[in-house]
Short mmCIF file of all heavy atoms in Angstrom, two decimals:
data_model
loop_
_atom_site.label_atom_id
_atom_site.label_comp_id
_atom_site.label_asym_id
_atom_site.label_seq_id
_atom_site.Cartn_x
_atom_site.Cartn_y
_atom_site.Cartn_z
N ARG X 9 -152.52 -148.85 -10.51
CA ARG X 9 -152.36 -147.39 -10.37
C ARG X 9 -153.72 -146.72 -10.21
O ARG X 9 -153.88 -145.79 -9.41
CB ARG X 9 -151.63 -146.83 -11.60
CG ARG X 9 -150.15 -147.20 -11.66
CD ARG X 9 -149.40 -146.32 -12.66
NE ARG X 9 -149.88 -146.50 -14.03
CZ ARG X 9 -149.38 -147.39 -14.87
NH1 ARG X 9 -148.40 -148.21 -14.49
NH2 ARG X 9 -149.86 -147.48 -16.11
N ARG X 10 -154.70 -147.21 -10.96
CA ARG X 10 -156.04 -146.67 -10.82
C ARG X 10 -156.63 -146.99 -9.45
O ARG X 10 -157.26 -146.14 -8.81
CB ARG X 10 -156.94 -147.25 -11.91
CG ARG X 10 -158.36 -146.71 -11.85
CD ARG X 10 -159.31 -147.49 -12.74
NE ARG X 10 -160.64 -147.43 -12.15
CZ ARG X 10 -161.52 -148.40 -12.22
NH1 ARG X 10 -161.23 -149.53 -12.82
NH2 ARG X 10 -162.70 -148.26 -11.66
N LEU X 11 -156.41 -148.21 -8.97
CA LEU X 11 -156.89 -148.62 -7.66
C LEU X 11 -156.35 -147.69 -6.57
O LEU X 11 -157.10 -147.22 -5.69
CB LEU X 11 -156.48 -150.07 -7.39
CG LEU X 11 -156.96 -150.73 -6.09
CD1 LEU X 11 -158.46 -150.96 -6.15
CD2 LEU X 11 -156.24 -152.05 -5.86
N LYS X 12 -155.07 -147.40 -6.63
CA LYS X 12 -154.44 -146.54 -5.63
C LYS X 12 -154.88 -145.09 -5.78
O LYS X 12 -155.02 -144.37 -4.79
CB LYS X 12 -152.92 -146.65 -5.73
CG LYS X 12 -152.38 -148.02 -5.36
CD LYS X 12 -150.85 -148.08 -5.52
CE LYS X 12 -150.30 -149.43 -5.11
NZ LYS X 12 -148.83 -149.51 -5.28
N ARG X 13 -155.10 -144.67 -7.03
CA ARG X 13 -155.48 -143.28 -7.27
C ARG X 13 -156.91 -142.99 -6.83
O ARG X 13 -157.20 -141.93 -6.27
CB ARG X 13 -155.31 -142.97 -8.76
CG ARG X 13 -155.65 -141.53 -9.13
CD ARG X 13 -155.49 -141.27 -10.61
NE ARG X 13 -156.46 -141.99 -11.43
CZ ARG X 13 -156.18 -143.00 -12.23
NH1 ARG X 13 -154.94 -143.46 -12.32
NH2 ARG X 13 -157.13 -143.59 -12.95
N GLU X 14 -157.81 -143.93 -7.06
CA GLU X 14 -159.22 -143.68 -6.83
C GLU X 14 -159.69 -144.01 -5.42
O GLU X 14 -160.75 -143.53 -5.00
CB GLU X 14 -160.07 -144.47 -7.84
CG GLU X 14 -159.88 -144.02 -9.28
CD GLU X 14 -160.76 -144.80 -10.23
OE1 GLU X 14 -161.48 -145.71 -9.77
OE2 GLU X 14 -160.72 -144.51 -11.45
N LYS X 15 -158.93 -144.81 -4.69
CA LYS X 15 -159.38 -145.16 -3.34
C LYS X 15 -159.41 -143.91 -2.47
O LYS X 15 -158.51 -143.08 -2.51
CB LYS X 15 -158.48 -146.23 -2.73
CG LYS X 15 -157.10 -145.75 -2.32
CD LYS X 15 -156.31 -146.85 -1.65
CE LYS X 15 -154.94 -146.37 -1.20
NZ LYS X 15 -155.03 -145.33 -0.16
N ARG X 16 -160.46 -143.77 -1.71
CA ARG X 16 -160.61 -142.58 -0.86
C ARG X 16 -160.14 -142.85 0.56
O ARG X 16 -159.93 -141.92 1.34
CB ARG X 16 -162.08 -142.15 -0.86
CG ARG X 16 -162.59 -141.86 -2.27
CD ARG X 16 -164.08 -141.68 -2.31
NE ARG X 16 -164.57 -141.68 -3.69
CZ ARG X 16 -165.84 -141.63 -4.02
NH1 ARG X 16 -166.77 -141.59 -3.09
NH2 ARG X 16 -166.20 -141.63 -5.30
N CYS X 17 -160.03 -144.11 0.91
CA CYS X 17 -159.46 -144.52 2.19
C CYS X 17 -159.05 -145.98 2.03
O CYS X 17 -159.21 -146.57 0.96
CB CYS X 17 -160.46 -144.34 3.34
SG CYS X 17 -162.03 -145.22 3.11
N GLY X 18 -158.50 -146.57 3.07
CA GLY X 18 -158.07 -147.95 2.98
C GLY X 18 -156.65 -148.08 2.45
O GLY X 18 -155.94 -147.08 2.25
N GLN X 19 -156.24 -149.32 2.20
CA GLN X 19 -154.88 -149.56 1.73
C GLN X 19 -154.86 -150.69 0.70
O GLN X 19 -155.76 -151.53 0.65
CB GLN X 19 -153.96 -149.92 2.90
CG GLN X 19 -154.29 -151.24 3.59
CD GLN X 19 -153.35 -151.51 4.76
OE1 GLN X 19 -153.12 -150.63 5.58
NE2 GLN X 19 -152.82 -152.73 4.83
N VAL X 20 -153.80 -150.69 -0.11
CA VAL X 20 -153.60 -151.70 -1.14
C VAL X 20 -152.31 -152.45 -0.83
O VAL X 20 -151.26 -151.83 -0.64
CB VAL X 20 -153.51 -151.05 -2.54
CG1 VAL X 20 -153.23 -152.12 -3.60
CG2 VAL X 20 -154.79 -150.30 -2.87
N ASP X 21 -152.39 -153.77 -0.75
CA ASP X 21 -151.22 -154.61 -0.47
C ASP X 21 -150.98 -155.57 -1.63
O ASP X 21 -151.93 -156.13 -2.20
CB ASP X 21 -151.44 -155.42 0.81
CG ASP X 21 -151.60 -154.55 2.04
OD1 ASP X 21 -150.76 -153.66 2.25
OD2 ASP X 21 -152.60 -154.74 2.78
N ARG X 22 -149.71 -155.76 -1.95
CA ARG X 22 -149.36 -156.69 -3.00
C ARG X 22 -149.15 -158.07 -2.39
O ARG X 22 -148.37 -158.25 -1.45
CB ARG X 22 -148.08 -156.24 -3.71
CG ARG X 22 -147.70 -157.12 -4.90
CD ARG X 22 -146.52 -156.55 -5.64
NE ARG X 22 -146.22 -157.32 -6.85
CZ ARG X 22 -145.29 -157.01 -7.73
NH1 ARG X 22 -144.54 -155.92 -7.54
NH2 ARG X 22 -145.09 -157.76 -8.80
N LEU X 23 -149.85 -159.08 -2.92
CA LEU X 23 -149.74 -160.44 -2.40
C LEU X 23 -148.67 -161.23 -3.14
O LEU X 23 -147.92 -161.98 -2.53
CB LEU X 23 -151.10 -161.16 -2.52
CG LEU X 23 -152.28 -160.46 -1.81
CD1 LEU X 23 -153.56 -161.25 -2.02
CD2 LEU X 23 -151.99 -160.27 -0.32
N ASP X 24 -148.64 -161.11 -4.44
CA ASP X 24 -147.58 -161.70 -5.25
C ASP X 24 -147.51 -160.91 -6.55
O ASP X 24 -148.06 -159.81 -6.64
CB ASP X 24 -147.81 -163.20 -5.49
CG ASP X 24 -149.14 -163.51 -6.15
OD1 ASP X 24 -149.55 -162.72 -7.02
OD2 ASP X 24 -149.77 -164.52 -5.82
N ARG X 25 -146.87 -161.46 -7.54
CA ARG X 25 -146.63 -160.72 -8.78
C ARG X 25 -147.92 -160.22 -9.43
O ARG X 25 -147.96 -159.11 -9.97
CB ARG X 25 -145.85 -161.60 -9.76
CG ARG X 25 -145.57 -160.92 -11.10
CD ARG X 25 -144.68 -161.79 -11.96
NE ARG X 25 -144.46 -161.19 -13.28
CZ ARG X 25 -143.64 -161.69 -14.20
NH1 ARG X 25 -142.96 -162.80 -13.94
NH2 ARG X 25 -143.51 -161.08 -15.37
N ASN X 26 -148.96 -161.02 -9.36
CA ASN X 26 -150.19 -160.69 -10.09
C ASN X 26 -151.43 -160.52 -9.20
O ASN X 26 -152.53 -160.33 -9.73
CB ASN X 26 -150.48 -161.76 -11.14
CG ASN X 26 -149.40 -161.87 -12.19
OD1 ASN X 26 -148.59 -162.79 -12.17
ND2 ASN X 26 -149.35 -160.90 -13.10
N HIS X 27 -151.25 -160.59 -7.89
CA HIS X 27 -152.41 -160.50 -7.00
C HIS X 27 -152.23 -159.37 -5.98
O HIS X 27 -151.15 -159.21 -5.41
CB HIS X 27 -152.65 -161.83 -6.27
CG HIS X 27 -153.10 -162.93 -7.17
ND1 HIS X 27 -152.21 -163.68 -7.91
CD2 HIS X 27 -154.34 -163.41 -7.46
CE1 HIS X 27 -152.88 -164.58 -8.62
NE2 HIS X 27 -154.18 -164.43 -8.36
N TYR X 28 -153.32 -158.62 -5.77
CA TYR X 28 -153.32 -157.50 -4.83
C TYR X 28 -154.56 -157.58 -3.97
O TYR X 28 -155.58 -158.15 -4.36
CB TYR X 28 -153.29 -156.17 -5.58
CG TYR X 28 -151.99 -155.88 -6.28
CD1 TYR X 28 -151.70 -156.47 -7.51
CD2 TYR X 28 -151.06 -155.00 -5.72
CE1 TYR X 28 -150.51 -156.21 -8.17
CE2 TYR X 28 -149.87 -154.74 -6.38
CZ TYR X 28 -149.59 -155.34 -7.59
OH TYR X 28 -148.40 -155.08 -8.23
N ARG X 29 -154.46 -156.98 -2.77
CA ARG X 29 -155.60 -156.95 -1.85
C ARG X 29 -155.89 -155.51 -1.46
O ARG X 29 -154.99 -154.74 -1.13
CB ARG X 29 -155.31 -157.76 -0.59
CG ARG X 29 -156.49 -157.72 0.42
CD ARG X 29 -156.08 -158.20 1.81
NE ARG X 29 -155.71 -159.60 1.78
CZ ARG X 29 -154.55 -160.06 2.25
NH1 ARG X 29 -153.65 -159.22 2.76
NH2 ARG X 29 -154.27 -161.35 2.20
N PHE X 30 -157.18 -155.17 -1.50
CA PHE X 30 -157.64 -153.87 -1.02
C PHE X 30 -158.45 -154.08 0.25
O PHE X 30 -159.33 -154.94 0.30
CB PHE X 30 -158.51 -153.17 -2.07
CG PHE X 30 -159.21 -151.94 -1.54
CD1 PHE X 30 -158.53 -150.74 -1.42
CD2 PHE X 30 -160.54 -152.00 -1.15
CE1 PHE X 30 -159.16 -149.61 -0.92
CE2 PHE X 30 -161.18 -150.88 -0.65
CZ PHE X 30 -160.49 -149.69 -0.54
N THR X 31 -158.16 -153.28 1.29
CA THR X 31 -158.87 -153.37 2.56
C THR X 31 -159.23 -151.97 3.05
O THR X 31 -158.39 -151.06 2.99
CB THR X 31 -158.03 -154.06 3.63
OG1 THR X 31 -157.58 -155.33 3.14
CG2 THR X 31 -158.83 -154.28 4.91
N ALA X 32 -160.47 -151.81 3.51
CA ALA X 32 -160.90 -150.52 4.05
C ALA X 32 -161.91 -150.74 5.16
O ALA X 32 -162.72 -151.67 5.09
CB ALA X 32 -161.51 -149.64 2.96
N ASN X 33 -161.84 -149.89 6.17
CA ASN X 33 -162.82 -149.87 7.25
C ASN X 33 -163.62 -148.58 7.12
O ASN X 33 -163.07 -147.48 7.29
CB ASN X 33 -162.13 -149.95 8.61
CG ASN X 33 -161.41 -151.28 8.81
OD1 ASN X 33 -162.03 -152.33 8.84
ND2 ASN X 33 -160.09 -151.23 8.93
N VAL X 34 -164.90 -148.72 6.81
CA VAL X 34 -165.71 -147.55 6.48
C VAL X 34 -167.00 -147.53 7.29
O VAL X 34 -167.40 -148.52 7.89
CB VAL X 34 -166.06 -147.55 4.97
CG1 VAL X 34 -164.80 -147.40 4.14
CG2 VAL X 34 -166.82 -148.82 4.59
N PHE X 35 -167.64 -146.37 7.29
CA PHE X 35 -168.92 -146.23 7.98
C PHE X 35 -170.04 -146.95 7.24
O PHE X 35 -170.92 -147.54 7.86
CB PHE X 35 -169.28 -144.75 8.14
CG PHE X 35 -168.37 -144.00 9.08
CD1 PHE X 35 -167.60 -142.95 8.61
CD2 PHE X 35 -168.29 -144.34 10.42
CE1 PHE X 35 -166.76 -142.24 9.47
CE2 PHE X 35 -167.45 -143.65 11.28
CZ PHE X 35 -166.69 -142.60 10.81
N ASP X 36 -170.02 -146.88 5.92
CA ASP X 36 -171.09 -147.49 5.12
C ASP X 36 -170.48 -148.16 3.90
O ASP X 36 -170.11 -147.50 2.93
CB ASP X 36 -172.09 -146.41 4.70
CG ASP X 36 -173.30 -146.99 3.97
OD1 ASP X 36 -173.35 -148.21 3.78
OD2 ASP X 36 -174.19 -146.20 3.59
N ALA X 37 -170.40 -149.48 3.92
CA ALA X 37 -169.79 -150.22 2.82
C ALA X 37 -170.62 -150.20 1.56
O ALA X 37 -170.11 -150.43 0.46
CB ALA X 37 -169.54 -151.67 3.25
N ASN X 38 -171.92 -149.89 1.67
CA ASN X 38 -172.77 -149.82 0.48
C ASN X 38 -172.27 -148.76 -0.50
O ASN X 38 -172.50 -148.89 -1.71
CB ASN X 38 -174.21 -149.51 0.88
CG ASN X 38 -174.89 -150.67 1.59
OD1 ASN X 38 -175.43 -151.57 0.96
ND2 ASN X 38 -174.85 -150.65 2.92
N GLU X 39 -171.61 -147.74 0.00
CA GLU X 39 -171.16 -146.66 -0.86
C GLU X 39 -170.04 -147.11 -1.80
O GLU X 39 -169.75 -146.43 -2.79
CB GLU X 39 -170.69 -145.48 -0.02
CG GLU X 39 -171.82 -144.80 0.75
CD GLU X 39 -171.34 -143.62 1.57
OE1 GLU X 39 -170.20 -143.66 2.07
OE2 GLU X 39 -172.11 -142.65 1.72
N LEU X 40 -169.40 -148.25 -1.51
CA LEU X 40 -168.32 -148.76 -2.36
C LEU X 40 -168.83 -149.59 -3.53
O LEU X 40 -168.07 -149.90 -4.45
CB LEU X 40 -167.34 -149.61 -1.55
CG LEU X 40 -166.28 -148.87 -0.73
CD1 LEU X 40 -166.85 -148.38 0.57
CD2 LEU X 40 -165.07 -149.76 -0.49
N PHE X 41 -170.10 -149.97 -3.50
CA PHE X 41 -170.62 -150.91 -4.50
C PHE X 41 -170.31 -150.49 -5.94
O PHE X 41 -169.78 -151.30 -6.71
CB PHE X 41 -172.13 -151.08 -4.33
CG PHE X 41 -172.52 -151.99 -3.19
CD1 PHE X 41 -171.57 -152.44 -2.28
CD2 PHE X 41 -173.83 -152.39 -3.02
CE1 PHE X 41 -171.94 -153.28 -1.22
CE2 PHE X 41 -174.21 -153.22 -1.98
CZ PHE X 41 -173.25 -153.66 -1.07
N PRO X 42 -170.64 -149.26 -6.36
CA PRO X 42 -170.39 -148.90 -7.78
C PRO X 42 -168.92 -149.00 -8.15
O PRO X 42 -168.58 -149.45 -9.26
CB PRO X 42 -170.89 -147.45 -7.87
CG PRO X 42 -171.87 -147.32 -6.75
CD PRO X 42 -171.32 -148.17 -5.64
N TRP X 43 -168.04 -148.60 -7.24
CA TRP X 43 -166.61 -148.65 -7.51
C TRP X 43 -166.10 -150.09 -7.58
O TRP X 43 -165.34 -150.44 -8.48
CB TRP X 43 -165.86 -147.87 -6.42
CG TRP X 43 -164.39 -147.74 -6.65
CD1 TRP X 43 -163.77 -147.01 -7.62
CD2 TRP X 43 -163.34 -148.33 -5.88
NE1 TRP X 43 -162.40 -147.10 -7.50
CE2 TRP X 43 -162.11 -147.91 -6.43
CE3 TRP X 43 -163.32 -149.17 -4.76
CZ2 TRP X 43 -160.88 -148.31 -5.91
CZ3 TRP X 43 -162.09 -149.55 -4.24
CH2 TRP X 43 -160.89 -149.13 -4.81
N ILE X 44 -166.55 -150.92 -6.67
CA ILE X 44 -166.12 -152.32 -6.67
C ILE X 44 -166.54 -153.02 -7.95
O ILE X 44 -165.80 -153.81 -8.53
CB ILE X 44 -166.69 -153.07 -5.44
CG1 ILE X 44 -166.06 -152.54 -4.15
CG2 ILE X 44 -166.45 -154.57 -5.55
CD1 ILE X 44 -166.65 -153.13 -2.88
N ARG X 45 -167.75 -152.69 -8.43
CA ARG X 45 -168.25 -153.36 -9.64
C ARG X 45 -167.38 -153.07 -10.86
O ARG X 45 -167.38 -153.86 -11.82
CB ARG X 45 -169.71 -152.95 -9.90
CG ARG X 45 -170.71 -153.63 -8.97
CD ARG X 45 -172.12 -153.49 -9.50
NE ARG X 45 -172.62 -152.14 -9.41
CZ ARG X 45 -173.39 -151.68 -8.43
NH1 ARG X 45 -173.74 -152.50 -7.43
NH2 ARG X 45 -173.81 -150.43 -8.42
N THR X 46 -166.65 -151.96 -10.86
CA THR X 46 -165.79 -151.67 -12.01
C THR X 46 -164.59 -152.60 -12.08
O THR X 46 -163.90 -152.65 -13.10
CB THR X 46 -165.30 -150.21 -11.96
OG1 THR X 46 -164.46 -150.01 -10.82
CG2 THR X 46 -166.47 -149.24 -11.90
N PHE X 47 -164.31 -153.33 -11.00
CA PHE X 47 -163.20 -154.30 -10.98
C PHE X 47 -163.71 -155.74 -10.99
O PHE X 47 -162.92 -156.67 -10.83
CB PHE X 47 -162.35 -154.11 -9.71
CG PHE X 47 -161.67 -152.77 -9.61
CD1 PHE X 47 -162.22 -151.76 -8.83
CD2 PHE X 47 -160.48 -152.52 -10.27
CE1 PHE X 47 -161.61 -150.53 -8.72
CE2 PHE X 47 -159.86 -151.29 -10.17
CZ PHE X 47 -160.42 -150.28 -9.39
N ILE X 48 -165.00 -155.94 -11.18
CA ILE X 48 -165.62 -157.22 -10.92
C ILE X 48 -165.00 -158.37 -11.72
O ILE X 48 -164.92 -159.50 -11.25
CB ILE X 48 -167.15 -157.14 -11.18
CG1 ILE X 48 -167.89 -158.27 -10.47
CG2 ILE X 48 -167.46 -157.09 -12.66
CD1 ILE X 48 -167.88 -158.17 -8.98
N CYS X 49 -164.54 -158.10 -12.94
CA CYS X 49 -163.98 -159.17 -13.77
C CYS X 49 -162.60 -159.63 -13.29
O CYS X 49 -162.12 -160.67 -13.72
CB CYS X 49 -163.90 -158.73 -15.22
SG CYS X 49 -165.51 -158.44 -15.99
N ARG X 50 -161.99 -158.84 -12.43
CA ARG X 50 -160.65 -159.18 -11.95
C ARG X 50 -160.65 -159.63 -10.49
O ARG X 50 -159.63 -160.09 -10.00
CB ARG X 50 -159.71 -157.99 -12.11
CG ARG X 50 -159.42 -157.63 -13.57
CD ARG X 50 -158.52 -156.42 -13.67
NE ARG X 50 -158.10 -156.18 -15.05
CZ ARG X 50 -158.80 -155.51 -15.94
NH1 ARG X 50 -159.98 -154.99 -15.58
NH2 ARG X 50 -158.37 -155.34 -17.18
N ILE X 51 -161.77 -159.49 -9.81
CA ILE X 51 -161.84 -159.85 -8.39
C ILE X 51 -161.91 -161.37 -8.23
O ILE X 51 -162.73 -162.04 -8.85
CB ILE X 51 -163.06 -159.18 -7.73
CG1 ILE X 51 -162.85 -157.66 -7.67
CG2 ILE X 51 -163.28 -159.73 -6.32
CD1 ILE X 51 -164.02 -156.89 -7.10
N THR X 52 -161.02 -161.89 -7.39
CA THR X 52 -161.01 -163.33 -7.11
C THR X 52 -161.61 -163.65 -5.75
O THR X 52 -161.99 -164.79 -5.49
CB THR X 52 -159.57 -163.86 -7.16
OG1 THR X 52 -158.77 -163.18 -6.17
CG2 THR X 52 -158.97 -163.65 -8.55
N ARG X 53 -161.69 -162.66 -4.88
CA ARG X 53 -162.26 -162.86 -3.55
C ARG X 53 -162.81 -161.54 -3.04
O ARG X 53 -162.18 -160.50 -3.21
CB ARG X 53 -161.21 -163.38 -2.57
CG ARG X 53 -161.73 -163.61 -1.14
CD ARG X 53 -160.64 -164.17 -0.24
NE ARG X 53 -161.09 -164.25 1.14
CZ ARG X 53 -160.97 -163.26 2.03
NH1 ARG X 53 -160.37 -162.12 1.67
NH2 ARG X 53 -161.41 -163.40 3.27
N LEU X 54 -164.00 -161.60 -2.45
CA LEU X 54 -164.64 -160.39 -1.96
C LEU X 54 -165.36 -160.70 -0.65
O LEU X 54 -166.06 -161.71 -0.55
CB LEU X 54 -165.64 -159.85 -2.99
CG LEU X 54 -166.53 -158.67 -2.60
CD1 LEU X 54 -165.69 -157.44 -2.31
CD2 LEU X 54 -167.54 -158.38 -3.71
#
């Protein structure tokens, strides 16, 4: 719910019961760094 609420663009897809994928096409991916780091313990692929 937080992932969907805080994303400013892009989309969230459910892969299975416990796995989700976030994808976004942006002008500057560096701007996502602080936000991505808040999920770092749960990220399995980046």
Side-chain angles (χ1 to χ4, degrees):
R9 288 195 297 270
R10 181 191 150 213
L11 183 69
K12 293 178 179 179
R13 182 181 67 250
E14 294 182 358
K15 72 177 182 64
R16 302 169 191 175
C17 57
Q19 66 181 48
V20 177
D21 297 310
R22 184 174 185 176
L23 303 179
D24 57 37
R25 179 174 177 175
N26 298 104
H27 292 83
Y28 290 79
R29 179 195 296 127
F30 170 79
T31 306
N33 295 297
V34 295
F35 292 117
D36 185 359
N38 290 275
E39 293 181 327
L40 280 81
F41 282 9
W43 185 69
I44 293 175
R45 284 196 290 263
T46 65
F47 297 99
I48 200 68
C49 295
R50 293 179 172 84
I51 292 177
T52 60
R53 179 178 174 272
L54 174 63

